[in-house]
Amino acid sequence: MLNKFPEKLTLLRKHYGLSQGDVATKINVKFTDYMNWENGNSIPSISNIRKLSVLFGVPVETFIDNRKVIELPEVKVVPQVQPQQPTTKQKPDETVKADTIHTQRVNSVKNDLGSTRVMDAGKIKTAAKVTEPKETKKEDNQKNRKKISYAIMAGCLVAVVVVIAIILRFTTGGKSGFTVETSDLNRIAEGDTFTLFINKNNSLEVYGDFQYKNEFQDVVQVSAYGSHAVGLKKDGTVVTTDKNEEVAKWKNIKAIAAGKDHTVGLTNDGKVVCAGSDLACQVSDWSDVDSIYAGDDVTFAIVNGQVKVSGNSANFSAVSDAKKLAIGDSQVLVLKKDGSVSAVSLKGNSTSDVSSWTKVSSIAVGKNYVVGVHEDGTVSAVSDDKDLKEAVEAWTDVKYIAAYDDTLVAFNRSGKMYGYGDNSSNQYDNSFKSDAKKLSQVKNITFTVTTANVNIAWDPVENADYYELTVNTNPITEHKNIISNSDSIASSSLKDGETYVVTITAHSKKEDKYKTSEKTSINFAYNAKTVQLNSPTDITATGLQNAWHFAWSPVENADKYNISIDGTVAASNVDGTSVTIDGISFAEGSEHEISITALSSNPAYTESVPTKAKMKYTISKGKIKVNLEKPDGSGAGSKTYELNVGSYYVQNIIKPSDIPNGYKLPQEPVSAEVMNGQTTEVTIKLEAN
């Protein structure tokens, strides 16, 4: 069993600083196959295990024997030594020995540390045999004087360099001097409960529920996805809300991206570092990267206008000249260098049609919408939500925009904020509305009580597009986006005799022109309205042996019934519209008063007036006609019997004297139902004696 194989394989790979893609390439297997080995979804063939043992310098038994504890080989740089040229022709090796493979492997893993060059021994001997021609003493003196001059000059140069280094160390505190300046890159970020924005004064503004204000105050870039946020500081270091220790060690980072469960950084030399999701972090071989982006378990990069992806199989082969990306859960917007925009599906879903957009400078993707900011500051939107489209396309002079799920925020060139959608955590404050006119308060609130609901109405407010209503029930009743000037709440959420506070505010979608109205609150005393149920009708009674069966028509809104006989409750809370009462000992033909009452579990309805009727207890009877047949199918006579209503076995009804000589009843029981006042006909096939 290879149940410990995945963890051993992962440990060795990380020990050598290799990505999953690196190992797959070195042993010539598909990346997905290797990924499945580490994930434990499949196991490699014995030939591939041998390749892995050679690559990592461990015995094959280490992988296949769960009892063996892995011993990590020492990672060292092995010098590349050029062999001496042979004096005679030698036959070259046609196979690669394990030692050679291991040396190549270690050197490839650690090639960033450099290698030591060793001169060929034969060349050293040859060089030793070379002698310079003799020169005159005068020439020797001249050369010596030149050497001394060069040495003095070199010494002075070294001294100057040392002095400069010392000055730089004391003036810069020993830092590398790498800095990141605030630019238009990553100035705004939208999370699930917060908005982060670096304003024109290069200060961080925080809106909504964000617990890391102090850690992020001095950042020059921000990025967010869901609850995860990342900030880039001026010195090229990174801070995250998940306080990832690996990320905290990063240096010389010039751009960042936050995914759902991972953090991505772009180094100053165009490489990509990643921490978190293994699936999204297959980026170690990326180089010359222009920009980076992240989403839910996926990472993107733009390299010379082409899009690279880790963690998703989305096809970006048709994309060229890419400038920016905006990442959503199901699609990616691609802003091209010419200002046009296209959309690529991440999960095989349909994409938004943005083919008509031109001269776009910024893009964002929300839950069910996409937006683009044009160079002139106007906004275009594609969404089934007509209200969203109308609202955001009224925004002007927009510079920065961000979206997450149902929340969309933007800032114009003056630093004023726009917002649309979910604002449950105060992710935006619509500061641009400071010059807007406040809507009038809601007036003339009225209530109409029914058994099921309380209907609330009010006068419409001029320029209001929707209303918000709250009632201090437990839990609180809150209705948003009410497009008419009326609403209703269920009576079941209210208690009879209680007083409730009803609050209504008016809102406008044109938030740059009209601000939300003042709240209008009014006390409402709830008195439950009840309706008496109708009385049952169409009562029927069927007398049975020692029992009495009753039936009636259903009553609207009733779900229970009580039945009394002669003033005594015989059955209560009966489901349905019939009941059989057993234990009847009345004399046949005796008269009795039957009473049936309808009930409801809904407090809005009270019990009905009882329906009373005089009925005689008469045992109902019916008839059974038994037809007899001989084994050959010919008739053998028939006989009719009068019986009480009920179920019977025919063998128990028919008399032996009614059976023709030479025949008998079948042993298999035959049942028959006796109906009130009816004749039931049944056929019995006799057997020969």
Side-chain angles (χ1 to χ4, degrees):
M1 294 180 61
L2 298 177
N3 57 327
K4 291 188 178 181
F5 174 80
E7 64 182 76
K8 291 181 178 181
L9 184 59
T10 304
L11 182 63
L12 281 166
R13 175 178 63 79
K14 292 184 177 181
H15 178 67
Y16 286 110
L18 297 173
S19 69
Q20 292 180 336
D22 292 337
V23 179
T25 300
K26 291 179 183 297
I27 65 172
N28 194 26
V29 298
K30 294 180 179 179
F31 168 73
T32 53
D33 289 343
Y34 180 82
M35 184 174 64
N36 285 328
W37 298 348
E38 280 201 9
N39 294 338
N41 296 327
S42 65
I43 58 176
S45 64
I46 190 63
S47 63
N48 285 328
I49 292 177
R50 290 194 183 100
K51 291 180 183 179
L52 291 169
S53 75
V54 173
L55 179 65
F56 292 120
V58 297
V60 172
E61 291 77 9
T62 302
F63 289 118
I64 64 177
D65 190 347
N66 289 328
R67 296 169 299 179
K68 285 190 176 292
V69 179
I70 194 166
E71 296 182 5
L72 295 175
E74 182 182 358
V75 179
K76 58 177 77 174
V77 177
V78 180
Q80 298 282 1
V81 181
Q82 299 293 332
Q84 295 183 17
Q85 296 296 325
T87 56
T88 59
K89 188 175 181 181
Q90 296 179 351
K91 185 179 181 179
D93 290 338
E94 297 179 353
T95 59
V96 181
K97 296 183 179 180
D99 293 341
T100 305
I101 296 174
H102 184 61
T103 299
Q104 293 173 347
R105 168 185 52 75
V106 176
N107 285 330
S108 68
V109 173
K110 293 297 178 178
N111 57 12
D112 59 324
L113 299 178
S115 60
T116 303
R117 294 183 180 179
V118 180
M119 183 176 287
D120 188 292
K123 293 181 180 179
I124 294 175
K125 291 180 181 179
T126 302
K129 293 179 181 180
V130 178
T131 57
E132 297 293 333
K134 293 182 178 179
E135 299 185 7
T136 63
K137 186 174 181 180
K138 183 178 180 180
E139 290 173 339
D140 289 340
N141 291 335
Q142 289 177 345
K143 287 186 177 182
N144 288 335
R145 285 196 295 271
K146 288 182 179 181
K147 289 180 180 179
I148 293 171
S149 298
Y150 292 151
I152 294 172
M153 291 173 64
C156 292
L157 182 60
V158 171
V160 171
V161 172
V162 171
V163 171
I164 293 173
I166 293 173
I167 293 172
L168 288 175
R169 179 169 181 83
F170 281 99
T171 57
T172 64
K175 297 182 179 181
S176 65
F178 178 80
T179 58
V180 184
E181 299 297 336
T182 305
S183 65
D184 285 345
L185 180 64
N186 292 330
R187 295 192 76 115
I188 186 171
E190 185 65 26
D192 55 356
T193 61
F194 58 86
T195 302
L196 306 178
F197 176 63
I198 300 174
N199 60 28
K200 58 184 178 181
N201 297 322
N202 297 331
S203 298
L204 181 68
E205 295 180 11
V206 178
Y207 302 85
D209 184 12
F210 189 70
Q211 308 299 319
Y212 307 90
K213 297 180 182 179
N214 293 335
E215 295 93 326
F216 277 69
Q217 275 304 323
D218 59 346
V219 297
V220 294
Q221 291 184 28
V222 288
S223 180
Y225 196 98
S227 61
H228 184 215
V230 180
L232 177 62
K233 296 187 176 183
K234 193 171 184 178
D235 63 358
T237 59
V238 181
V239 59
T240 64
T241 54
D242 62 2
K243 299 182 180 180
N244 187 286
E245 295 181 358
E246 182 180 350
V247 175
K249 298 177 182 178
W250 289 355
K251 295 180 179 179
N252 296 339
I253 303 298
K254 66 178 181 179
I256 53 171
K260 183 179 181 181
D261 297 307
H262 68 292
T263 303
V264 189
L266 177 60
T267 65
N268 193 41
D269 59 358
K271 296 185 180 295
V272 180
V273 291
C274 185
S277 167
D278 287 340
L279 183 63
C281 286
Q282 305 297 319
V283 298
S284 60
D285 59 342
W286 293 0
S287 60
D288 300 321
V289 173
D290 300 315
S291 55
I292 54 174
Y293 310 86
D296 186 357
D297 236 14
V298 61
T299 300
F300 304 87
I302 296 177
V303 181
N304 295 324
Q306 304 296 314
V307 179
K308 287 182 167 291
V309 189
S310 175
N312 191 280
S313 59
N315 185 7
F316 287 85
S317 59
V319 175
S320 61
D321 294 327
K323 182 180 179 181
K324 294 181 181 178
L325 304 180
I327 315 302
D329 286 339
S330 61
Q331 64 179 322
V332 174
L333 283 192
V334 182
L335 172 60
K336 297 185 178 180
K337 295 177 182 179
D338 63 359
S340 64
V341 182
S342 61
V344 178
S345 176
L346 286 179
K347 300 178 179 179
N349 300 328
S350 60
T351 57
S352 303
D353 183 8
V354 292
S355 57
S356 63
W357 291 2
T358 60
K359 297 182 179 180
V360 175
S361 58
S362 297
I363 50 179
V365 180
K367 186 176 183 179
N368 295 307
Y369 61 89
V370 296
V371 292
V373 179
H374 300 277
E375 294 173 358
D376 62 359
T378 59
V379 182
S380 292
V382 176
S383 174
D384 292 334
D385 186 347
K386 295 181 180 179
D387 293 338
L388 180 148
K389 185 175 174 64
E390 181 182 348
V392 302
E393 291 187 349
W395 297 350
T396 59
D397 203 31
V398 174
K399 178 70 172 178
Y400 307 103
I401 197 162
Y404 182 79
D405 204 26
D406 291 325
T407 304
L408 174 66
V409 296
F411 286 86
N412 68 8
R413 289 180 173 85
S414 301
K416 292 184 178 181
M417 191 177 191
Y418 293 89
Y420 185 90
D422 179 22
N423 196 29
S424 56
S425 298
N426 296 316
Q427 299 98 309
Y428 56 88
D429 67 0
N430 287 330
S431 59
F432 70 94
K433 295 191 304 180
S434 58
D435 298 329
K437 181 181 178 181
K438 185 175 292 187
L439 294 171
S440 300
Q441 280 187 279
V442 171
K443 296 180 180 179
N444 298 326
I445 302 174
T446 60
F447 303 89
T448 303
V449 180
T450 69
T451 56
N453 300 294
V454 175
N455 298 317
I456 307 170
W458 55 91
D459 291 346
V461 175
E462 186 178 6
N463 297 312
D465 296 307
Y466 62 97
Y467 303 87
E468 181 178 348
L469 177 144
T470 61
V471 183
N472 65 326
T473 52
N474 187 19
I476 292 178
T477 299
E478 188 175 29
H479 294 177
K480 297 182 178 181
N481 299 317
I482 305 168
I483 60 175
S484 66
N485 60 312
S486 64
D487 196 25
S488 65
I489 60 175
S491 297
S492 57
S493 65
L494 306 173
K495 292 183 179 180
D496 189 28
E498 292 281 341
T499 298
Y500 298 90
V501 179
V502 178
T503 302
I504 306 174
T505 53
H507 299 264
S508 173
K509 295 176 182 177
K510 303 178 180 65
E511 296 175 323
D512 57 333
K513 296 181 179 180
Y514 304 102
K515 293 190 286 186
T516 300
S517 73
E518 296 290 341
K519 296 179 179 179
T520 298
S521 297
I522 187 172
N523 291 333
F524 166 64
Y526 175 65
N527 295 310
K529 185 174 182 177
T530 59
V531 176
Q532 189 174 41
L533 295 169
N534 293 326
S535 299
T537 59
D538 302 326
I539 300 175
T540 61
T542 303
L544 305 173
Q545 191 69 40
N546 298 322
W548 209 349
H549 179 80
F550 301 98
W552 56 91
S553 298
V555 176
E556 186 178 7
N557 296 311
D559 50 23
K560 301 287 183 181
Y561 299 88
N562 289 344
I563 295 89
S564 297
I565 301 176
D566 296 332
T568 301
V569 176
S572 58
N573 295 321
V574 175
D575 294 320
T577 56
S578 66
V579 65
T580 298
I581 300 173
D582 297 319
I584 299 297
S585 58
F586 301 139
E588 187 171 0
S590 59
E591 189 175 71
H592 304 273
E593 184 181 75
I594 309 302
S595 175
I596 302 179
T597 306
L599 311 171
S600 176
S601 56
N602 189 335
Y605 300 94
T606 59
E607 68 179 42
S608 71
V609 174
T611 297
K612 297 181 179 181
K614 294 286 187 177
M615 294 187 173
K616 288 185 178 181
Y617 176 67
T618 303
I619 298 176
S620 300
K621 296 183 180 295
K623 295 180 180 180
I624 289 182
K625 183 179 180 181
V626 182
N627 299 313
L628 303 177
E629 281 188 0
K630 295 179 179 178
D632 61 1
S634 61
S638 63
K639 186 73 173 179
T640 301
Y641 305 91
E642 187 178 45
L643 302 167
N644 294 337
V645 170
S647 297
Y648 297 86
Y649 287 117
V650 176
Q651 286 92 333
N652 297 331
I653 300 172
I654 193 168
K655 298 177 180 178
S657 59
D658 296 328
I659 302 173
N661 292 329
Y663 298 95
K664 62 180 180 179
L665 293 171
Q667 292 185 350
E668 185 70 24
V670 178
S671 62
E673 189 76 19
V674 178
M675 309 294 292
N676 182 29
Q678 299 180 23
T679 299
T680 303
E681 195 165 350
V682 63
T683 299
I684 293 290
K685 197 161 191 173
L686 300 173
E687 298 176 354
N689 287 329

